[in-house]
Amino acid sequence: MKYAMDALFEAVRDRGPVCVGLDTAPDYIPPREIKHATSKARAVLDFNRAIIDATQDVSACYKVQIAYYEALGLAGLEAYRDTLAYIRQRGSLVIADIKRGDIADTAKCYAKAHYEGDFEADLVTLSPYMGMDSIEPWFSYAKEQGKGAFVLMRTSNKGMKDFEYQELAKGGRLYHEVGRKMQALAKECRGSSGFGAFGVVVGCTEPEEAERIRREHGDLFFLIPGYGAQGGAAEDASRLLIDGNGGVVNASRSILKAWFADFNTQNISEATYADVAAAARREALAMKNDILAACAASRGREGASRG
Amino acid sequence: MKYAMDALFEAVRDRGPVCVGLDTAPDYIPPREIKHATSKARAVLDFNRAIIDATQDVSACYKVQIAYYEALGLAGLEAYRDTLAYIRQRGSLVIADIKRGDIADTAKCYAKAHYEGDFEADLVTLSPYMGMDSIEPWFSYAKEQGKGAFVLMRTSNKGMKDFEYQELAKGGRLYHEVGRKMQALAKECRGSSGFGAFGVVVGCTEPEEAERIRREHGDLFFLIPGYGAQGGAAEDASRLLIDGNGGVVNASRSILKAWFADFNTQNISEATYADVAAAARREALAMKNDILAACAASRGREGASRG
C-alpha cells in the first residue's frame, strides 16, 4: 500500500519541503478583490486558488487550518471544502489542520468526516490528550485507505511548557511519551518511504533538542510549524529534516501576506490576486532555497566533523 | 456579569443535572422517518427536535457532538447549526462538544466560530494539550460575552491512562496539573453561582478518586460524560456533584436509542418520532431521578456518619 505519507515523501524529494499554510483571514485579501467578491468566503476561496496556482511547483503540499473557515460559518466551510477539492484536483497533497481528538466512536465519525466526503483530505492533524484509543480509529481507517495523520507532539508555542513539557516520574517529558507511542505505531504501518503512515507535529526549538528529537524518531515524518516567526528559521528547520526530507516545514502568514511588502497605503487599493500570487511564489521559493541551503550547510559541517 | 455557567447552575437547580447528548447517528432514526425525509441531515435535525421538545423540562442542557454532523459534510453542519439554534430559541443551554485546542491566533478564530455566528453555543469543550495559551483566547472572549467552556481534565475512556494519567516528576498526575491550572483560572472569573466561568470534563471513576477530585476542585463546574456505560452510574455521578449540583451528567445513546426497547424486528417499521420522543423523555426522567436519589442517599450516609 502506498500511504499519503509516502506521496508526501516523494513530493518533498521532487519539489522541496515547503508546506504552504492556507490560514486565510479575510483581511489578508486585497481590498479591491474583496470589494468585487460576492461574499467574504468566496473571496477566501479565490485568494487560495491564486496562491495554489502560484506555488504548486515550489511546495510539497498545503495545510489548511479549518478554524479560519469555521469562523465564517457555513459559507466558510463551503470555501474550505472547495479549497481542499481544488488542491486535490490539481494533484497536490492537502493536510487538514483540524487537531481533533475524541473517544473511539466519535473519532470514527471525525475520520469519516475528514478522510472522505465533502471535507476529504490526504492527511490530518490530531491531538493526543485523551490517549491512543482516540488515535486508533483514524489509524485503522488510514491503514485501509492509504490516508495519513500528524499527531501533536512538541509544539513551539509558549504554552507548550504547561503540559507537553512536564517531566514524568518515569523519566522524560510528556511529549517524549507521545513520541514513543507514535514510534510504536509507525512500526505497525509503514510504506515505501520507510516512514510510518502517521507522523508527528514538532515545532522548531533549540538546536540540541531538535537534533535529539530527529535522532530518536527516525521512523516519523514531521510536520514542522512556526517557520519564520524568528531568525535562524531555515537552520532550525533543517535540524528536524533528514537530508532535506522526512518533514515538511509550514509557513502561512509570511507567504499569504507577502504581497503587503510590495504596496503602501497610497497604492494598496490597486493590489490584485496577480500581485498576491507573484509575491507568494517569490516567498515560497526563497523559503525553499533557504531551507535547502541550510540542509546542505549542515551536511557540510557533518562531513567536515566526520572527516 | 452572569456567565453561561451560572445559567447552567440555575438550570440544574430547577430541572436536575441531566445533559442530553445529541450525538445523533443516522441509524438511531426510525426507518420510516428516514425514508420520508428529504435528506439524512434533515432527518437528524427532525429527530433532534423531537428529543429536545420531549426532554426540555427534565434536563439542564444539551450537548451536541459536532463530529456526528461533520461526518455528514456541509449538509450535516447545516443540521448542526439548526439544532443549536433550535435549542437556544427554546430557551435551553447548549454545550458544543468540539474539543478544539490550538495556538492563540487559531483559537481566536475558533472562539469566533463557536461563540457567535452560525454555530453559536453557550459553552464549548476544549482540549488542553498545547497549553494555557490555547485556552486564553476563549477565556478572554467568554469573560466579555458571558460564555463558558469545559476543558478536558480526566476522561473515562481506556486510553486516558496513556497521557492524562501519567505521573509527573513534581508529583500528581498530568490531569491534576490541568485541574490546578483550571482552578487558578476559576479564581480570575466567577459569577453568581460561585463557580468559575470555565469548568472541566471529569468522567466517572472509582469512588475514592471521584471524591478527591470533587473535594479539590470546589470552584469548578463539571461536565460528566460516560453515564450508563456500566452499573452504578448514578452513584458514580453523584460523587462528582455537590448536593446534586456543580455538574451536569451527560447521556447520549441511552436516551437517543431508548425507543429501540419498545420495538422488535416485526414492528420497528412502525416507529415514529413520537415514539422516539416518549422513550427519550422516560429515559431522561429515570436518569434524573436515579441521580437525585443517589445524591440524597449519599447525603443520608454523610449525615449518619457525622451524627
Side-chain angles (χ1 to χ4, degrees):
Chain A
M1 167 77 81
K2 183 168 162 182
Y3 298 97
M5 211 61 90
D6 301 318
L8 191 54
F9 177 86
E10 290 167 14
V12 173
R13 183 194 61 203
D14 298 342
R15 300 193 299 276
V18 171
C19 171
V20 176
L22 295 169
D23 309 5
T24 308
D27 53 1
Y28 300 171
I29 302 172
R32 96 181 248 173
E33 297 285 10
I34 213 155
K35 211 179 346 177
H36 292 134
T38 49
S39 74
K40 258 190 204 180
R42 178 67 213 201
V44 165
L45 176 62
D46 290 340
F47 178 91
N48 288 348
R49 282 182 176 159
I51 300 264
I52 294 161
D53 289 344
T55 55
Q56 222 200 345
D57 63 325
V58 293
S59 64
C61 63
Y62 297 86
K63 181 173 81 62
V64 189
Q65 171 51 262
I66 198 171
Y68 284 81
Y69 304 83
E70 284 186 27
L72 299 177
L74 269 181
L77 286 162
E78 211 175 311
Y80 175 79
R81 175 195 66 186
D82 295 344
T83 297
L84 264 55
Y86 190 72
I87 294 167
R88 289 166 49 80
Q89 276 160 22
R90 301 268 327 216
S92 279
L93 293 161
V94 62
I95 303 167
D97 196 357
I98 54 174
K99 297 189 179 67
R100 302 299 193 252
D102 212 313
I103 53 167
D105 284 337
T106 305
K108 253 185 238 168
C109 292
Y110 272 135
K112 187 169 149 43
H114 298 281
Y115 280 157
E116 61 182 74
D118 280 349
F119 308 131
E120 182 173 358
D122 301 294
L123 303 111
V124 298
T125 59
L126 302 176
S127 177
Y129 186 77
M130 293 181 75
M132 294 307 285
D133 59 358
S134 68
I135 306 294
E136 179 50 46
W138 296 89
F139 192 62
S140 300
Y141 191 110
K143 272 199 293 191
E144 297 287 319
Q145 310 291 329
K147 298 288 186 181
F150 294 98
V151 173
L152 289 177
M153 180 176 151
R154 196 264 187 227
T155 57
S156 49
N157 58 313
K158 219 173 126 193
M160 71 85 195
K161 302 249 171 196
D162 292 335
F163 308 120
E164 297 176 25
Y165 226 59
Q166 283 291 332
E167 283 190 55
L168 303 183
K170 67 192 236 181
R173 300 186 190 274
L174 177 67
Y175 83 78
H176 294 134
E177 188 63 20
V178 174
R180 271 193 290 271
K181 292 235 158 46
M182 291 308 299
Q183 188 77 17
L185 213 61
K187 291 195 193 314
E188 273 183 51
C189 180
R190 72 176 91 213
S192 57
S193 65
F195 287 96
F198 277 24
V200 288
V201 177
V202 180
C204 290
T205 170
E206 291 90 68
E208 234 171 88
E209 193 182 19
E211 279 162 15
R212 195 178 43 69
I213 293 175
R214 186 63 280 184
R215 206 166 50 235
E216 288 177 1
H217 298 291
D219 295 339
L220 298 180
F221 207 91
F222 291 172
L223 170 58
I224 306 163
Y227 183 88
Q230 56 251 53
E235 211 181 320
D236 286 350
S238 74
R239 289 194 191 88
L240 292 169
L241 298 174
I242 304 170
D243 288 337
N245 206 325
V248 286
V249 185
N250 182 75
S252 301
R253 249 174 291 179
S254 59
I255 295 175
L256 305 186
K257 295 177 74 177
W259 68 271
F260 279 88
D262 304 331
F263 290 86
N264 56 42
T265 47
Q266 253 71 61
N267 63 3
I268 193 164
S269 64
E270 295 161 25
T272 66
Y273 286 138
D275 300 308
V276 169
R281 182 179 174 75
R282 186 183 68 213
E283 184 65 25
L285 192 57
M287 178 180 161
K288 172 185 163 174
N289 291 335
D290 283 353
I291 296 171
L292 292 181
C295 290
S298 117
R299 272 199 300 277
R301 275 196 305 278
E302 274 172 35
S305 71
R306 271 197 212 112
Chain B
M1 167 78 81
K2 184 169 161 180
Y3 298 97
M5 211 60 91
D6 301 318
L8 190 54
F9 177 87
E10 289 168 14
V12 172
R13 184 194 60 204
D14 297 343
R15 301 192 299 277
V18 171
C19 170
V20 176
L22 295 169
D23 308 5
T24 308
D27 53 0
Y28 301 170
I29 302 172
R32 97 181 248 172
E33 297 286 10
I34 213 154
K35 210 181 345 180
H36 292 135
T38 49
S39 72
K40 259 191 204 179
R42 178 67 212 201
V44 166
L45 176 61
D46 289 340
F47 179 91
N48 287 348
R49 282 182 176 158
I51 300 265
I52 294 160
D53 290 344
T55 55
Q56 221 199 347
D57 64 324
V58 293
S59 64
C61 63
Y62 297 87
K63 180 174 80 64
V64 189
Q65 171 50 263
I66 197 173
Y68 286 81
Y69 304 83
E70 283 187 26
L72 299 177
L74 269 182
L77 286 162
E78 210 174 312
Y80 176 79
R81 175 195 66 185
D82 294 343
T83 297
L84 264 54
Y86 190 72
I87 294 167
R88 289 167 47 80
Q89 275 159 22
R90 301 267 326 216
S92 279
L93 293 161
V94 62
I95 303 168
D97 195 358
I98 53 173
K99 297 188 179 69
R100 302 298 193 254
D102 214 312
I103 53 167
D105 284 337
T106 306
K108 252 185 239 168
C109 291
Y110 273 135
K112 187 168 149 41
H114 298 281
Y115 280 157
E116 62 182 72
D118 279 349
F119 307 131
E120 180 172 359
D122 301 294
L123 303 112
V124 298
T125 58
L126 302 177
S127 177
Y129 186 75
M130 293 181 77
M132 295 306 285
D133 60 358
S134 67
I135 307 295
E136 178 51 45
W138 297 89
F139 191 63
S140 299
Y141 191 110
K143 273 200 291 191
E144 297 287 320
Q145 311 289 330
K147 299 288 186 180
F150 294 99
V151 173
L152 289 176
M153 179 176 151
R154 196 264 186 227
T155 59
S156 49
N157 58 314
K158 220 173 126 194
M160 71 86 194
K161 301 248 171 198
D162 291 335
F163 307 120
E164 297 176 27
Y165 225 58
Q166 283 291 332
E167 283 191 56
L168 302 184
K170 67 192 235 181
R173 299 185 189 275
L174 177 66
Y175 83 76
H176 294 133
E177 188 64 19
V178 174
R180 269 193 290 270
K181 291 236 158 46
M182 291 308 299
Q183 189 77 18
L185 213 60
K187 291 196 194 313
E188 273 184 52
C189 178
R190 72 175 92 214
S192 57
S193 65
F195 288 95
F198 276 25
V200 288
V201 177
V202 180
C204 290
T205 169
E206 292 90 68
E208 234 170 272
E209 193 181 20
E211 279 162 16
R212 195 178 42 70
I213 292 175
R214 186 63 281 183
R215 206 167 48 236
E216 288 178 1
H217 298 291
D219 294 340
L220 298 179
F221 207 91
F222 290 173
L223 169 58
I224 306 163
Y227 183 90
Q230 56 251 52
E235 211 180 319
D236 287 350
S238 75
R239 289 193 191 88
L240 291 168
L241 299 174
I242 303 169
D243 289 337
N245 206 326
V248 287
V249 186
N250 182 75
S252 300
R253 249 175 292 181
S254 58
I255 295 175
L256 305 187
K257 295 177 75 177
W259 69 270
F260 280 88
D262 304 331
F263 290 87
N264 56 42
T265 47
Q266 253 71 61
N267 63 3
I268 192 164
S269 63
E270 294 161 26
T272 65
Y273 287 138
D275 301 307
V276 169
R281 181 180 175 75
R282 186 184 66 214
E283 183 67 26
L285 192 56
M287 177 180 162
K288 172 185 165 174
N289 290 336
D290 284 353
I291 296 170
L292 293 181
C295 290
S298 118
R299 272 197 300 277
R301 276 196 305 279
E302 274 171 36
S305 71
R306 271 197 212 111

